[in-house]
Amino acid sequence: MLDQDVALRAVNYLSSDLDYAPWRAFRRELGYVDDMLERTPLYGMFEDFMKKTVDIPFTTLGTNITEDMTPIEKIDIAQMASVACNYDYSDCVDTSVRLFSIWMEDGTNNQIYPDLRSTFYCTAVRHGGLEQWEFVHQKYLTEQTSSEKDRLRRALSCTREPWLLQRVLEMSLNSDEVKGQDVLSTVTYVANNRWGRELAWDFVKHHFAELGSAITTRSGLYRIIRESSEKYNTEQEYKKVEDFMNSGDDVSEAGTAFKEVLDRTTTNINWLKKNYGVFETWLKSQI
C-alpha cells in the first residue's frame, strides 16, 4: 500500500478524472482504508468525502450503457456506478431503486443493463425491505443462468435487516438453495456487509462442522475463517478469534488459518493506530 500522505494527495485529483485505470487503483488502495474506518467515528466524514469525489465523474458518465459502446466505456460507467452507489450517492441510489421498481411491477421487464445489475440489485435491496428481498429470492430460486443467479445471491446479502441476513446464512447450509461451491462466497457476502459481519462470524463459529461438510475441502474451510474475519481490527475481535481457535478439537485442524487471521488482525490494529490521526486531519481539511 502507498504511503498514506501520498495516496491522500492523489485522491484530490480524482473528482475530475473519468478514466478507468486511476479509479481502479484508487479503489484498490482506499478499499482497505474503507474497511478499517468503517466502524470508527471518522466514517461519516469519509463517506461524505467520497460522495463529493464521485459527484462530477458519476454525473458526467451517467448510467446509460448501450451496445454500441466500447468495452472500456462500459467498464467506466459500471465502475463509477459501483463506487457511487456503495457510498449512497443519491442519484445512483435513486436510479437503482427506480429501475428495480419497474422490474418488480411485472416481474419480467428488467431494464437494468447486465453490467450494472450487481450494483443496482444490491443498492435496491439495501434501501428496500422484505418485499424487495423476497422478490430477489424468488428470482434466485428460478433463475437458470449462472451469472445472473450469482448476482441475485449476492444481492440477498445486501439487506440491512439482521433477520434476513440470517436467512441468507441458513440458505448456505441448504443444498437445495446453495450449491456446495457457493457456500463460501455466500457466507463471505454476509460478512462483508457492515450489518452482517458479526452474524457471519457467529454463524461460522456455531456451524463449523456443518460448513466443513458442505464445503468439502479443507482449503475452503480455511478460507471461510479468513474471509469472514477479514475486516477485524480491534483487540476485542482478536480475542474472539483466539477464543474460537482454543475452543476444542473440532477446530484444531484449522490452526494455520487461525494464525493467519490473528496475524492479519494485529496488522489491522497497528495500521489503525498509526494512521487514524492522518485520516482524521485530512478528512477535516476536506470539509
Side-chain angles (χ1 to χ4, degrees):
M1 179 173 287
L2 293 174
D3 177 86
Q4 298 308 315
D5 289 328
V6 175
L8 293 176
R9 286 197 298 271
V11 165
N12 289 321
Y13 293 99
L14 285 170
S15 60
S16 58
D17 199 325
L18 307 182
D19 291 341
Y20 165 72
W23 272 96
R24 183 184 181 189
F26 167 74
R27 294 187 71 183
R28 183 173 60 248
E29 290 294 333
L30 282 198
Y32 178 76
V33 174
D34 185 291
D35 290 345
M36 294 300 99
L37 297 183
E38 189 178 75
R39 292 176 301 160
T40 73
L42 298 184
Y43 196 74
M45 286 193 291
F46 181 74
E47 195 169 44
D48 288 343
F49 168 77
M50 288 303 304
K51 289 176 183 177
K52 288 193 296 183
T53 303
V54 303
D55 183 23
I56 293 175
F58 179 82
T59 302
T60 303
L61 291 172
T63 57
N64 184 30
I65 297 178
T66 58
E67 289 298 333
D68 61 340
M69 288 180 171
T70 64
I72 195 64
E73 287 175 324
K74 295 178 181 179
I75 291 173
D76 280 342
I77 292 173
Q79 176 176 247
M80 195 56 59
S82 176
V83 176
C85 278
N86 183 61
Y87 290 103
D88 285 342
Y89 182 76
S90 59
D91 286 354
C92 192
V93 172
D94 292 346
T95 301
S96 302
V97 171
R98 177 175 58 82
L99 293 178
F100 190 86
S101 297
I102 292 171
W103 184 29
M104 283 186 66
E105 285 179 8
D106 66 6
T108 58
N109 184 24
N110 189 349
Q111 299 180 9
I112 304 173
Y113 196 82
D115 292 33
L116 295 168
R117 286 181 180 178
S118 183
T119 292
F120 283 9
Y121 291 176
C122 184
T123 303
V125 169
R126 186 170 72 250
H127 288 269
L130 177 61
E131 184 180 7
Q132 286 75 17
W133 192 92
E134 287 287 12
F135 176 79
V136 172
H137 186 225
Q138 290 304 312
K139 288 293 183 184
Y140 169 76
L141 293 176
T142 58
E143 180 59 49
Q144 298 300 312
T145 306
S146 60
S147 58
E148 180 69 359
K149 200 173 184 74
D150 285 344
R151 295 186 193 108
L152 293 164
R153 181 167 54 88
R154 178 179 177 272
L156 290 172
S157 71
C158 294
T159 178
R160 301 178 183 185
E161 296 292 340
W163 65 280
L164 290 175
L165 291 170
Q166 191 64 42
R167 279 184 62 178
V168 178
L169 291 169
E170 297 292 344
M171 281 171 53
S172 70
L173 292 178
N174 182 347
S175 59
D176 292 332
E177 292 198 86
V178 175
K179 296 178 181 179
Q181 67 198 45
D182 296 325
V183 171
L184 170 63
S185 60
T186 301
V187 176
T188 301
Y189 288 154
V190 176
N192 286 334
N193 180 333
R194 71 186 67 169
W195 295 278
R197 180 186 303 182
E198 300 309 318
L199 289 173
W201 178 259
D202 288 343
F203 185 80
V204 170
K205 184 170 65 174
H206 292 119
H207 297 275
F208 192 72
E210 295 166 85
L211 287 167
S213 299
I215 294 173
T216 71
T217 66
R218 181 175 296 181
S219 62
L221 192 59
Y222 290 179
R223 282 183 62 196
I224 207 168
I225 295 171
R226 290 194 296 265
E227 295 187 18
S228 62
S229 59
E230 188 171 8
K231 299 181 180 182
Y232 281 7
N233 62 0
T234 68
E235 299 290 351
Q236 292 86 350
E237 286 167 332
Y238 184 98
K239 183 67 164 55
K240 183 161 53 177
V241 174
E242 195 173 44
D243 288 345
F244 185 23
M245 179 180 69
N246 297 325
S247 62
D249 293 338
D250 289 345
V251 299
S252 59
E253 290 188 0
T256 300
F258 280 114
K259 185 179 185 304
E260 289 179 13
V261 170
L262 291 173
D263 288 345
R264 183 181 60 201
T265 302
T266 298
T267 298
N268 292 345
I269 291 169
N270 291 336
W271 183 93
L272 194 58
K273 288 178 179 177
K274 177 182 177 182
N275 293 291
Y276 187 91
V278 174
F279 279 91
E280 182 176 28
T281 300
W282 179 73
L283 286 168
K284 286 181 177 178
S285 74
Q286 303 300 309
I287 297 175

